[in-house]
Amino acid sequence: MNQTTSIILADDHSLVRDGIRALLESESDLKVIGEASDGVEAIEMVNKNSPDLLIIDIRMPRMTGIEAVEKLNAQNSPVKCIILSMHDSEEYILKSVKAGALGYLLKDTGKTEFIKAIHTVRDGGKYYSGDISNVLVNNLLSSSAKITEAPVKAVPTSNEFDLTNKELQVLELVLSGLTNKQISEKLQNSKRTVETHRFNLMRKMEVKNLIDLSKKAQQFNLV
């Protein structure tokens, strides 16, 4: 039997919290043990109840979600934080990651991806939805481009990871910041075909997210 994951929700709209609670508690291994309407309450609830996860909005009264996550990390709280927001701006995303959020999802994220993100973060990983990952990758690549003396890279062998030509093509497009839909249109393939290529190349390169994919691709001169 799966161990139950305890969760605290923080959002200043009760209807939003009700909807998220209903979605989460439809899963047998997830349980919402508390709710907060602002960042201050969220910190108090976390300190009092010691949940596994905190799912928190950004814009709230008294203290933002980003500030709350930052304070919890400063306290060395073991809670794992996921930002759930309607904002997909680079500023919010980068501030959230810097504050210590292990996940960032948009509020229009589907149930399947939402649950996957929760399980990934709960199990020690990080999860950023596709478009969010693109922002992070672009920022990483931009930062790398500013380094005047690039570190010595590993010398790749012929087809280091046994990637097909199509997978290499998808890799280049993914790291250029395109979404699966945009890649499918560019390559004139179905979105599902692109998703399959993307899954295969990440499996072969032994990475779980776009940040690690970008780093490894640069390390082995694949981009």
Side-chain angles (χ1 to χ4, degrees):
M1 185 174 180
N2 293 335
Q3 183 177 354
T4 300
T5 299
S6 57
I7 300 170
I8 284 178
L9 299 178
D11 193 293
D12 57 332
H13 295 96
S14 59
L15 285 176
V16 173
R17 295 198 307 271
D18 289 345
I20 297 172
R21 175 189 279 271
L23 183 151
L24 296 180
E25 294 193 336
S26 67
E27 300 293 312
S28 60
D29 64 331
L30 304 179
K31 182 174 180 59
V32 177
I33 62 171
E35 298 182 13
S37 59
D38 61 53
V40 175
E41 284 185 8
I43 291 176
E44 292 173 351
M45 292 289 292
V46 167
N47 290 336
K48 179 181 178 181
N49 297 284
S50 301
D52 298 308
L53 294 177
L54 169 65
I55 299 175
I56 188 168
D57 188 19
I58 289 182
R59 300 186 66 176
M60 297 184 295
R62 295 206 289 173
M63 182 186 292
T64 69
I66 294 174
E67 291 169 336
V69 170
E70 189 171 32
K71 285 184 179 296
L72 286 167
N73 275 277
Q75 295 173 8
N76 294 317
S77 171
V79 70
K80 296 171 181 176
C81 302
I82 297 176
I83 295 286
L84 182 64
S85 175
M86 66 176 63
H87 303 286
D88 61 356
S89 72
E90 181 173 340
E91 178 185 4
Y92 279 131
I93 296 166
L94 296 178
K95 282 184 176 180
S96 297
V97 174
K98 184 178 179 182
L102 299 177
Y104 193 113
L105 296 170
L106 298 178
K107 286 188 174 179
D108 61 359
T109 298
K111 177 181 177 180
T112 300
E113 184 175 18
F114 194 5
I115 300 303
K116 179 182 178 182
I118 289 173
H119 288 161
T120 299
V121 172
R122 177 199 64 190
D123 294 339
K126 299 179 181 180
Y127 195 98
Y128 308 104
S129 57
D131 291 341
I132 304 303
S133 290
N134 289 337
V135 170
L136 296 174
V137 168
N138 288 337
N139 180 263
L140 176 65
L141 292 175
S142 175
S143 298
S144 298
K146 295 177 182 177
I147 300 176
T148 54
E149 291 186 14
V152 177
K153 296 181 178 180
V155 177
T157 60
S158 175
N159 209 355
E160 177 76 24
F161 299 103
D162 196 29
L163 300 181
T164 65
N165 290 334
K166 182 64 73 173
E167 287 166 354
L168 287 169
Q169 196 173 11
V170 170
L171 172 64
E172 182 179 357
L173 294 173
V174 166
L175 296 183
S176 71
L178 298 186
T179 64
N180 288 344
K181 181 179 179 182
Q182 291 170 325
I183 295 173
S184 69
E185 292 171 351
K186 191 174 184 67
L187 298 181
Q188 296 185 329
N189 291 138
S190 70
K191 183 179 176 183
R192 182 169 294 277
T193 297
V194 171
E195 289 172 347
T196 299
H197 287 312
R198 185 166 173 164
F199 172 83
N200 286 336
L201 70 89
M202 294 183 74
R203 174 179 57 79
K204 290 179 179 179
M205 294 178 69
E206 298 181 342
V207 296
K208 295 183 178 179
N209 56 63
L210 280 181
I211 304 302
D212 291 340
L213 179 67
S214 175
K215 290 179 180 178
K216 205 157 194 178
Q218 291 181 74
Q219 178 186 359
F220 287 93
N221 291 322
L222 296 176
V223 291

